[in-house]
Amino acid sequence: MQLIHFDIDRFLSDHWQKTPLLIRNPWQDWANPLAPDELAGLACEDEVESRIIRQTKGNWALEHGPFPESRFARLGKTHWTLLVQAVDQHVPDVAALIAPFRFIPNWRIDDVMVTYAADEGGVGPHFDQYDVFLIQGLGRRRWQIGALCDGSTALLPHDDLRLLADFKATDEWVLEPGDILYVPPGVAHNGVAVGPDCMTYSVGFRAPSRSDLIEGWSEHLLDTLADDDRYADPDLRAQPNPGEISPDALARLHAMVTAKMADRDAFARWFGQHSSTPKYPEQDWRPDEPVDEAAVRAAIADGADLARNPASRFSFVRQREDALLLFVDGQCFECGLDTAPFAEELCATEQMSLDPELVGLDEAVALIAALLNQGSIAFDEDEFET
Ligand code: SIN
Ligand code: CO
């Protein structure tokens, strides 16, 4: 699925992580993929993360879902927004909105948040830490963008919402169905519904903070370290002042830390597993009975298609031309000559037909069985339902 008149290379060099871009309806034939009442239905479910933001005279109020159906009838005709997270994991047509942006690596993709706003509804001027494509699905929304913000930008005093204290628009557009606004991290933005039934689909990305990376990687390392892996100085010599921590000692201590921290292969394994761990694991595709390799062979011979669980994450790290580490839902699979092409295809496509030749490749059959049994893939695309 490609956007019309959208030059990916140009977008990456001129806009990605740099400046906003308005893309006027680049779809072949835009159709809003989700009806407002279906979105409201999702917001009533326990396993779906949802919020309502209301503007009350000069103030902002936040409510967390799940909501009883009756909540929506009491919201009034203006000044409120319903936000539902990770709708792509429940609605295949919403998941399909990610396809045009697959030129961004899988591990950078977060989810598709969907908002529904009543007339004049919005979530207030703010900035996000992440890149986002804001796709106007239904109705119209006025988007304003402003300055680049950071941790020192003044915010309104509010317990739950991070709204800008002082937002000045530098540009604005009214988006119609199918239009897309790309907003880079840190750029102030404010979207307000113009008229009723305004739906926006936010294809959001993620970027780990340095502190999250260091925390996660160190925690992982700690699990691998033995208590007797200690400082040792069998070559110690008498030193003139016992108070000095000598350069030799410091070098040895520092190396004890940095040598482990700098282990690139171990880091690649950890990061692949860490970044492929699903955020919302509720979409459970695990079969009732474990699938065995004979069943996998039979399905391949039958020409079965594979579908990826929309909540699952697929990435790989290439080790050599014919060897890679496949990461799926926090698990690492070592893939050699027989499995690497399949693993690469799996990472590149959400649905695939299985090559009949895989029947004869024991490692590939075992890998498919493992992925089926952990619920990351399924033979039947009917699984792709709420
Ligand atoms: C919205 O759709 O109203 C909010 C999306 C955003 O600003 O990130
Ligand atoms: Co935003």
Side-chain angles (χ1 to χ4, degrees):
M1 168 64 202
Q2 278 192 348
L3 302 176
I4 304 165
H5 304 308
F6 177 72
D7 183 330
I8 291 174
D9 293 331
R10 200 139 136 216
F11 168 76
L12 289 174
S13 65
D14 295 355
H15 296 284
W16 174 251
Q17 299 243 300
K18 300 169 203 75
T19 53
L21 176 68
L22 173 70
I23 309 161
R24 287 288 182 196
N25 198 342
W27 311 85
Q28 206 73 267
D29 197 4
W30 174 256
N32 180 42
L34 185 68
D37 56 345
E38 290 174 298
L39 185 71
L42 283 173
C44 300
E45 290 182 21
D46 285 341
E47 71 277 10
V48 176
E49 191 184 324
S50 59
R51 289 166 289 163
I52 288 173
I53 295 181
R54 285 183 300 123
Q55 273 158 278
T56 56
K57 293 190 183 59
N59 215 335
W60 295 86
L62 170 73
E63 295 167 38
H64 288 282
F67 299 101
E69 249 178 78
S70 55
R71 181 70 193 99
F72 299 106
R74 290 187 283 113
L75 281 167
K77 288 208 171 350
T78 66
H79 293 95
W80 61 267
T81 300
L82 166 69
L83 303 93
V84 184
Q85 223 60 50
V87 177
D88 51 307
Q89 300 185 10
H90 304 279
V91 184
D93 287 346
V94 173
L97 296 179
I98 302 175
F101 308 105
R102 288 274 178 204
F103 58 89
I104 313 283
N106 292 351
W107 72 269
R108 292 281 267 117
I109 295 174
D110 192 4
D111 64 8
V112 184
M113 178 183 80
V114 186
T115 60
Y116 172 90
D119 191 15
E120 296 181 65
V123 304
H126 66 280
F127 70 98
D128 300 305
Q129 301 282 2
Y130 308 112
D131 308 79
V132 64
F133 288 96
L134 299 157
I135 306 170
Q136 188 61 25
L138 188 68
R140 302 160 78 212
R141 187 188 285 275
R142 174 173 291 105
W143 279 107
Q144 297 179 312
I145 53 160
L148 194 60
C149 308
D150 59 25
S152 64
T153 304
L155 300 179
L156 286 179
H158 199 290
D159 289 343
D160 307 311
L161 298 170
R162 295 173 51 79
L163 298 175
L164 297 173
D166 184 25
F167 173 74
K168 283 193 194 64
T170 52
D171 233 325
E172 69 169 57
W173 308 272
V174 174
L175 270 70
E176 306 273 344
D179 292 347
I180 304 175
L181 179 64
Y182 163 73
V183 183
V187 172
H189 54 285
N190 186 29
V192 178
V194 180
D197 285 340
C198 169
M199 285 181 80
T200 302
Y201 297 78
S202 307
V203 179
F205 297 84
R206 54 193 186 139
S209 69
R210 195 191 297 255
S211 77
D212 282 349
L213 272 182
I214 293 178
E215 185 186 14
W217 175 221
S218 319
E219 270 175 14
H220 170 78
L221 281 180
L222 288 178
D223 288 343
T224 68
L225 298 179
D227 195 45
D228 56 6
D229 180 0
R230 257 166 210 278
Y231 181 81
D233 48 6
D235 50 355
L236 184 68
R237 297 225 181 92
Q239 58 185 56
N241 186 333
E244 183 177 6
I245 304 169
S246 72
D248 273 1
L250 265 182
R252 200 171 289 189
L253 291 160
H254 191 234
M256 281 177 76
V257 175
T258 53
K260 282 286 175 197
M261 295 292 279
D263 183 341
R264 198 180 174 288
D265 287 347
F267 179 80
R269 243 171 222 271
W270 166 77
F271 185 72
Q273 291 185 254
H274 171 77
S275 63
S276 69
T277 302
K279 189 158 128 198
Y280 302 100
E282 291 82 8
Q283 199 68 263
D284 190 350
W285 276 20
R286 279 173 303 171
D288 296 335
E289 295 291 326
V291 177
D292 64 16
E293 294 179 13
V296 173
R297 282 201 177 81
I300 299 174
D302 269 3
D305 287 343
L306 273 187
R308 295 195 323 211
N309 183 332
S312 294
R313 296 182 178 278
F314 298 78
S315 301
F316 69 87
V317 168
R318 196 178 301 285
Q319 294 187 298
R320 295 188 307 278
E321 205 185 316
D322 59 353
L324 53 85
L325 299 175
L326 170 68
F327 300 102
V328 185
D329 294 338
Q331 301 298 317
C332 175
F333 302 89
E334 303 205 9
C335 297
L337 202 55
D338 286 351
T339 43
F342 164 75
E344 282 180 64
E345 196 181 344
L346 187 63
C347 288
T349 44
E350 282 123 292
Q351 272 170 11
M352 63 193 271
S353 314
L354 283 169
D355 181 348
E357 294 201 353
L358 289 173
V359 169
L361 302 176
D362 292 350
E363 281 180 24
V365 170
L367 173 60
I368 294 170
L371 294 172
L372 286 164
N373 287 325
Q374 72 175 40
S376 306
I377 56 173
F379 277 130
D380 189 352
E381 53 185 279
D382 290 346
E383 290 279 6
F384 199 160
E385 280 176 1
T386 310

